[in-house]
């Protein structure tokens, strides 16, 4: 929603840094890939407040990742303590992922109509409440239902947190800011891995759900204190038709991202298994290496985001990442097939490269879709990625079983190669 001068002045008194420029009575402008004239007023916030909002939305996204991906680390306890089969435990752990996938677009639509702050507060509060209900679950069905609802609520952070960043950061800083925000997923997964699994082993599955409950509650508190809705122009100043009807730019980015999910999840899913089964590593040592690759991948997202700011383009770096993913996965397939020790080093490189595209595509979608469509566009972006990600483990596992891990790595390189001609470099507008 558009904030008025009184609201902005109140915030300014609180933080001492918000400014309202009103050189003309024209409407507020949305700072997303739009040329802002000197005659248009614009709400601006100080550097400290802007980065504080980035921290809050990054925490919100990390809390979402804990709620959605954390239950996967409960599988051993579900099998050992609850007597479930591995398949049954896997279905319970998949419940929050299903809830997220089914509600991403709906949450995006609410963001487009009601604003980012409201969606973050309601969604994160719902995540905390559903996770709390999970701590009281007495059976497998009630636990799965609570996890589903937690995932459905946690999906709110995906579109809303990205929109806050795109709305408040200028184009020349958005890539870096979104790269930092994209660190939230691996950080959240890492937090869940080192906390939920340990608590579940010591005190039970339901006790472990206090981790996502606390993470979501903390995120709600921080969002309530620091996050503001970015300014938007009046709807009459924006095109009335869908951005999907104007050109093929957004569908092409969705397609590129879906194809590049394949190498990312092949490596994420089977790196540890390959190190143990093919390279003879202990599970502990393999787990440490995989954790380090998560850190490297998070830093890579920041680096690529900063690169996009420097070159003034999201699509050129995205194509470079796709090229690098093809080379890295092909090299991994070849070295793994030949049994060379350097394959482990190539694995680390591939793990870093294959996650680097996420922030670039996410930022580009929000910039092109505009203030009244980007919520739904980001929801579609994530939904497509979730659908592909759900298919990758079983298909790649089938290939690895019958043709070997090297073949699975090589097949992932082919998907990355298919993404190259789809990257809409020529259709991209210069960042303004």
């Amino acid at each position: 929603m558009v904030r008025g001068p009184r609201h902005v002045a109140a915030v300014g008194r609180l933080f001492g840094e918000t400014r309202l420029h009103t050189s003309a009575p024209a409407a507020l402008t949305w700072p997303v890939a739009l040329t802002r004239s000197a005659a248009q007023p614009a709400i601006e916030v100080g550097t400290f407040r802007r980065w504080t909002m980035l921290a809050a939305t990054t925490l919100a996204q990390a809390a979402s990742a804990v709620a959605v991906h954390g239950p996967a680390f409960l599988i051993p306890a579900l099998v050992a303590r609850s007597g479930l089969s591995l398949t049954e435990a896997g279905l319970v752990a998949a419940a929050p992922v299903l809830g997220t996938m089914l509600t991403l677009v709906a949450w995006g639509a609410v963001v487009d109509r009601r604003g980012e702050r409201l969606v973050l507060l309601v969604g994160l509060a719902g995540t905390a409440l559903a996770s709390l209900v999970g701590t009281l679950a007495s059976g497998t069905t009630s636990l799965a239902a609570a996890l589903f609802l937690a995932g459905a609520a946690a999906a709110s952070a995906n579109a809303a947190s990205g929109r806050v960043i795109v709305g408040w950061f200028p184009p020349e800083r958005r890539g870096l800011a979104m790269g930092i925000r994209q660190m939230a997923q691996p950080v959240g997964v890492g937090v869940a891995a080192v906390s939920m699994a340990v608590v579940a082993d010591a005190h039970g599955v339901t006790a472990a759900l206090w981790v996502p409950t606390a993470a979501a509650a903390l995120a709600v508190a921080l969002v309530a204190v620091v996050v503001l809705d970015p300014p938007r122009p009046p709807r009459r100043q924006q095109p009335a038709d869908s951005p999907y009807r104007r050109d093929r730019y957004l569908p092409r980015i969705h397609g590129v991202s879906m194809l590049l999910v394949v190498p990312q999840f092949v490596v994420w899913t089977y790196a540890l298994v390959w190190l143990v089964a093919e390279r003879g590593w202990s599970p502990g040592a393999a787990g440490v290496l995989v954790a380090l690759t998560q850190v490297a991948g998070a830093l890579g997202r920041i680096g690529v985001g900063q690169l996009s700011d420097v070159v003034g383009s999201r699509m050129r770096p995205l194509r470079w990442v796709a090229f690098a993913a093809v080379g890295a996965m092909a090299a991994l397939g070849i070295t793994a097939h030949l049994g060379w020790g350097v394959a482990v080093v190539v694995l680390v490189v591939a793990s870093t490269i294959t996650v680097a595209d996420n922030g670039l595509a996410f930022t580009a979608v929000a910039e092109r879709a505009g203030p009244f469509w980007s919520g739904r566009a980001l929801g579609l972006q994530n939904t497509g990625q979730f659908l592909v990600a759900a298919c990758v483990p079983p298909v790649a596992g089938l290939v690895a079983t019958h043709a070997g891990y090297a073949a699975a790595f090589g097949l992932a390189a082919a998907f990355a190669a298919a993404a190259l001609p789809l990257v809409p470099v020529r259709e991209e507008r210069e960042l303004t």
Side-chain angles (χ1 to χ4, degrees), residues 65 76 89 95 207 263 295 334 347 381 398 428:
V295 175
I334 293 171
L347 173 69
Q381 169 79 3
L398 185 65
E428 183 181 28

Side-chain angles (χ1 to χ4, degrees), residues 40-59:
Q40 291 176 314
I43 296 175
E44 295 182 2
V45 297
T47 301
F48 176 77
R49 182 62 180 275
R50 185 179 296 117
W51 288 93
T52 302
M53 285 194 282
L54 172 60
T57 52
T58 301
L59 175 60

Side-chain angles (χ1 to χ4, degrees), residues 84-146:
L84 301 182
S85 67
L86 188 61
T87 301
E88 291 170 334
L91 289 173
V92 172
V97 178
L98 178 61
T100 298
M101 186 172 63
L102 293 178
T103 55
L104 281 165
V105 177
W107 277 118
V110 178
V111 169
D112 290 335
R113 288 168 171 79
R114 298 297 181 183
E116 297 80 2
R117 175 184 167 87
L118 175 66
V119 167
L120 284 171
L121 291 175
V122 173
L124 291 169
T127 303
L129 179 60
S131 299
L132 179 61
V133 171
T135 67
L136 306 175
S138 58
T140 302
T141 301
S142 59
L143 175 61

Side-chain angles (χ1 to χ4, degrees), residues 328-354:
M329 294 305 298
L332 180 58
I334 293 171
T335 54
H337 175 71
L338 296 175
W340 292 354
V342 73
V344 176
V345 178
V346 178
L347 173 69
V348 174
V349 174
S351 299
T352 304
I353 291 172
T354 55

